Amino acid sequence: MKLFEKINNNEVYVIAEMSANHGGKIENAYKIIEQAAKAGADCVKIQTYTADSLTIDCKDEAYTLKGGLWDGYSYYELYQEGMTPWEWQADLKKKCEECGVDFLSTPFDNKGVDFLEGLGVEFYKIASFEMIDIPLVRYIASKQKPIIMSVGMGSEEEISEALEACRKMGNNDVIILKCCSRYPAKYEDMNVSVIPRMREMFGVPVGLSDHSFGSLADVVAVSLGACVIEKHVMLDDETVESIDSGFSMKMSEFAQMVSDVRSAKVIMGRPTLKLTEDEEKGLCVRRSLVAVKPIKKGEIFTEENIRSIRPAIGIKPKYMDALLGKPSKKDYNFGEPIKMEELD
């Protein structure tokens, strides 16, 4: 598992969320894993649920979604269509291992946790909507494996409760993900500027689970200290459709996003004004005070015979005022740098 290796090395851990974008075919799932690995992802994530582990098959209006991508679906129908068959998951894990990426899944009930334990998973994901299911959070935490937990819609109290549930089980290896639980999420609702504050408030690493279009939110989040980026991905093949296609990133765009967030991390650098090696080499191009006319010993320095010009062969321009009106202590040829001894 690369998770803490990446974070401890001050790098960004990138999760490609497959979700329902396999379109019901394991061949597509294999392609997503292969292409996500090639794009530079550290991990491919799936979801381990059945419709019955999430809801009930009830026809009441309260169980029908209204508006958005899934308007008109019943919860049961949505989850039936979106699930990743459990009989695939051992093979998907093996495929991840072959491709050199971590395998991660989100369980939605104890049965799903037990199933994943049987597969030998190394860590768990908890979804935003399940964060408030404290008994489930406790059960996952009891397995003593690292947890990545999305906290979309979570209040400060709810996030604290979920983290405390993990800690009471002796599990302190938790990373939380800022998340706007809308599909797709609008930029004005992202509020990624809270990431540094979340890190201070909760005392855990913080990343971003991103449902917005493009990679801009991810780059901004990384610049604010996000150590994990999770993004729903889909194949470029437009014939493969799923309930999640409407807010997922095509694999070609995902490759660019991975490159962008890794570049953003490099650009952030360190909070220091210490010069880089290349900057030190460039110091010679700065300005300095130079004789622009021949100057005899005893001759007065004026704005006509000394100037601030490039390169940096003389004393710094800040000494100009101290020199003007004073006699030279030596002869200077045209182009000769003014020496610090003139100020002694």
Side-chain angles (χ1 to χ4, degrees):
M1 180 179 65
K2 305 174 185 176
L3 178 60
F4 289 109
E5 175 188 335
K6 286 274 185 176
I7 293 175
N8 293 336
N9 200 36
N10 198 33
E11 298 178 59
V12 180
Y13 186 82
V14 179
I15 301 171
E17 163 66 88
M18 182 186 303
S19 192
N21 286 318
H22 48 70
K25 295 182 178 179
I26 195 169
E27 294 80 11
N28 292 333
Y30 287 151
K31 288 179 183 177
I32 288 173
I33 294 169
E34 291 167 351
Q35 293 181 22
K38 187 177 180 180
D42 299 299
C43 173
V44 173
K45 189 180 88 67
I46 64 170
Q47 298 180 12
T48 302
Y49 68 80
T50 64
D52 292 294
S53 67
L54 279 165
T55 190
I56 55 175
D57 189 8
C58 181
K59 305 304 181 186
D60 289 355
E61 188 176 350
Y63 290 85
T64 300
L65 291 151
K66 299 175 179 64
L69 289 176
W70 306 309
D71 184 50
Y73 274 94
S74 73
Y75 285 95
Y76 198 86
E77 291 167 343
L78 183 71
Y79 301 136
Q80 270 193 319
E81 184 174 330
M83 69 174 289
T84 299
W86 291 28
E87 60 269 23
W88 295 2
Q89 297 192 19
D91 290 332
L92 297 184
K93 182 174 181 290
K94 183 179 178 181
K95 185 68 173 179
C96 285
E97 292 165 355
E98 291 172 354
C99 292
V101 292
D102 293 340
F103 172 84
L104 178 62
S105 186
T106 306
F108 291 83
D109 65 354
N110 291 5
K111 184 178 178 182
V113 177
D114 294 339
F115 173 78
L116 291 171
E117 281 293 295
L119 293 185
V121 298
E122 295 182 273
F123 60 139
Y124 285 98
K125 172 72 193 298
I126 296 176
S128 291
F129 294 90
E130 277 58 48
M131 177 196 68
I132 59 167
D133 188 342
I134 297 302
L136 176 60
V137 171
R138 278 200 304 263
Y139 192 69
I140 293 171
S142 74
K143 303 308 174 184
Q144 303 304 321
K145 293 177 180 176
I147 295 169
I148 299 175
M149 179 163 56
S150 289
V151 295
M153 303 172 294
S155 65
E156 182 177 347
E157 179 183 8
E158 289 168 338
I159 297 170
S160 295
E161 287 173 349
L163 289 171
E164 185 60 23
C166 295
R167 290 167 181 148
K168 282 184 176 179
M169 301 306 298
N171 192 331
N172 296 302
D173 290 333
V174 183
I175 296 165
I176 60 175
L177 304 185
K178 171 70 178 74
C179 177
C180 176
S181 297
R182 299 294 296 170
Y183 305 88
K186 296 184 290 187
Y187 281 169
E188 56 265 36
D189 294 336
M190 295 293 290
N191 296 324
V192 295
S193 63
V194 77
I195 286 174
R197 183 163 175 259
M198 289 173 67
R199 194 166 55 242
E200 293 174 6
M201 288 169 62
F202 303 113
V204 296
V206 180
L208 175 70
S209 178
D210 178 27
H211 304 139
S212 68
F213 292 128
S215 59
L216 185 57
D218 309 288
V219 170
V220 174
V222 167
S223 72
L224 290 167
C227 59
V228 174
I229 295 294
E230 179 186 63
K231 193 81 171 182
H232 283 71
V233 297
M234 60 186 291
L235 297 172
D236 287 345
D237 184 355
E238 294 183 359
T239 63
V240 181
E241 294 186 359
S242 79
I243 60 172
D244 294 330
S245 300
F247 65 93
S248 297
M249 177 177 270
K250 289 186 176 181
M251 201 61 73
S252 54
E253 297 173 298
F254 178 71
Q256 185 62 51
M257 187 213 78
V258 174
S259 176
D260 288 345
V261 298
R262 301 218 186 283
S263 296
K265 191 66 176 178
V266 173
I267 290 167
M268 281 179 64
R270 295 169 292 124
T272 178
L273 291 175
K274 183 179 178 180
L275 300 186
T276 66
E277 184 177 337
D278 285 341
E279 283 181 316
E280 287 181 350
K281 292 177 182 177
L283 289 174
C284 64
V285 187
R286 297 169 109 188
R287 286 174 173 256
S288 66
L289 296 181
V290 174
V292 293
K293 289 183 178 180
I295 302 172
K296 296 294 184 181
K297 181 178 179 180
E299 187 177 343
I300 300 299
F301 288 120
T302 69
E303 291 181 346
E304 283 70 43
N305 59 21
I306 59 172
R307 280 178 54 198
S308 166
I309 62 169
R310 297 181 183 184
I313 55 176
I315 61 177
K316 291 181 179 180
K318 67 180 181 179
Y319 297 117
M320 175 69 96
D321 290 344
L323 286 177
L324 292 176
K326 291 187 176 181
S328 168
K329 293 182 179 180
K330 63 181 288 294
D331 291 341
Y332 286 94
N333 296 319
F334 172 75
E336 188 174 348
I338 307 300
K339 304 296 184 180
M340 182 61 76
E341 65 194 50
E342 296 291 349
L343 296 169
D344 294 340

